[in-house]
Amino acid sequence: MNTPSYKSHISSQYNSELEDVRQRVLAMGGLVEQQIVDATRALIEADGELADEVRRNDIRVNQLEVQIDEECSGILARRQPTAGDLRLVYAVIKTITDLERIGDEASKIARMAIDLGQHERSPAPLVEVGHLSRHVSQMVRDALDAFARMDVDAALAVAQEDVAVDREYEALLRQCITFMMEDPRTIRRVLDVIWSVRALERIGDHARNIAEYVIYFVKGKDVRHLGLEAMEREARS
């Protein structure tokens, strides 16, 4: 675990500002995690009321992004941070953008749940969808934990999990296509499931992005768009 650079500031007020923005990110992350859980449950159980709640809560996620972004802008203007502090503010701004997009993906799943609830129950592999959802939810949780502790090893573990999520996503797609080929009457319903599975895969991508920002903060190295092996070399060098 790494000690955040702001802990060494002479100004306790500056320390407090940076710690406050970090805690706000974690609170936003907790809300987004719950959005994933609730949206998937709404999809599997065809719970329209829960899906509506997810879509309403997306407004809260958006508001948090705006509030944290404004707080970061204030820190940039007042403190003119450099080195590690500047990287921290940058990592926060990028992280909340990905968290907001995770919220958007959860809202898409909720929209599909509402649509599915208006039709006969889908024959698609919803149990497997639930498993994928738990997998990506854990990725988001682990990415936020890596952010909280500024832990490079934990961040690398999240990036490694993204590979497994991609494989799981591809297997689910094949199952959904098989359902549609065997019974074309299911196409409309299975397509809703496919869009939901795609949203879950994208959530995994956003969790990996957050992990990459942790590496950037700690190491000062931009590891975006690198393969896993190259990322590990950069993070450990």
Side-chain angles (χ1 to χ4, degrees):
M1 182 176 70
N2 297 274
T3 301
S5 62
Y6 63 83
K7 292 297 184 182
S8 62
H9 291 143
I10 294 174
S11 168
S12 60
Q13 179 62 31
Y14 192 7
N15 289 346
S16 177
E17 288 173 6
L18 291 172
E19 178 62 16
D20 180 68
V21 78
R22 193 179 72 96
Q23 290 298 328
R24 282 175 175 264
V25 172
L26 296 176
M28 181 181 179
L31 175 58
V32 165
E33 280 184 56
Q34 192 60 49
Q35 286 283 86
I36 302 168
V37 172
D38 289 345
T40 306
R41 180 181 158 201
L43 181 77
I44 293 172
E45 299 179 4
D47 189 334
E49 289 186 8
L50 183 58
D52 284 334
E53 183 180 341
V54 170
R55 299 193 71 188
R56 286 193 299 271
N57 281 338
D58 190 46
I59 297 172
R60 291 177 57 202
V61 173
N62 294 341
Q63 289 172 338
L64 280 170
E65 183 198 18
V66 171
Q67 291 167 5
I68 297 169
D69 190 60
E70 289 176 348
E71 192 168 355
C72 287
S73 296
I75 290 173
L76 289 172
R78 290 190 306 273
R79 304 295 184 178
Q80 297 182 345
T82 59
D85 295 337
L86 183 59
R87 292 202 305 272
L88 175 63
V89 175
Y90 172 84
V92 166
I93 291 171
K94 299 293 286 185
T95 294
I96 62 174
T97 298
D98 275 280
L99 288 174
E100 189 274 333
R101 289 174 181 168
I102 290 172
D104 288 345
E105 298 296 341
S107 186
K108 288 178 188 176
I109 296 170
R111 191 164 65 247
M112 296 304 103
I114 292 169
D115 191 55
L116 277 175
Q118 297 170 351
H119 301 88
E120 183 182 347
R121 191 167 179 80
S122 173
L126 292 177
V127 172
E128 290 84 348
V129 172
H131 183 273
L132 178 61
S133 175
R134 288 189 293 275
H135 198 163
V136 298
S137 294
Q138 187 64 50
M139 273 188 71
V140 172
R141 188 174 303 115
D142 291 345
L144 289 167
D145 182 61
F147 176 87
R149 298 185 291 119
M150 291 304 170
D151 187 327
V152 168
D153 289 333
L156 286 172
V158 171
Q160 291 163 351
E161 279 304 305
D162 190 42
V163 176
V165 163
D166 288 344
R167 287 198 296 265
E168 197 172 339
Y169 162 68
E170 290 165 4
L172 260 172
L173 275 187
R174 288 194 293 269
Q175 284 183 267
C176 288
I177 291 169
T178 298
F179 275 107
M180 291 190 292
M181 290 175 65
E182 290 178 349
D183 187 356
R185 293 172 300 177
T186 67
I187 289 176
R188 167 69 185 276
R189 286 168 287 155
V190 176
L191 280 175
D192 283 340
V193 175
I194 287 176
W195 287 120
S196 298
V197 170
R198 174 59 177 161
L200 289 170
E201 189 271 339
R202 290 292 299 137
I203 289 171
D205 290 342
H206 290 302
R208 173 177 168 141
N209 290 347
I210 294 169
E212 290 171 353
Y213 307 143
V214 171
I215 295 170
Y216 172 73
F217 169 72
V218 176
K219 295 290 186 176
K221 295 178 179 179
D222 190 343
V223 295
R224 292 176 299 172
H225 314 303
L226 294 182
L228 189 56
E229 290 184 6
M231 181 190 296
E232 290 176 346
R233 284 196 303 271
E234 287 292 313
R236 299 189 190 285
S237 63

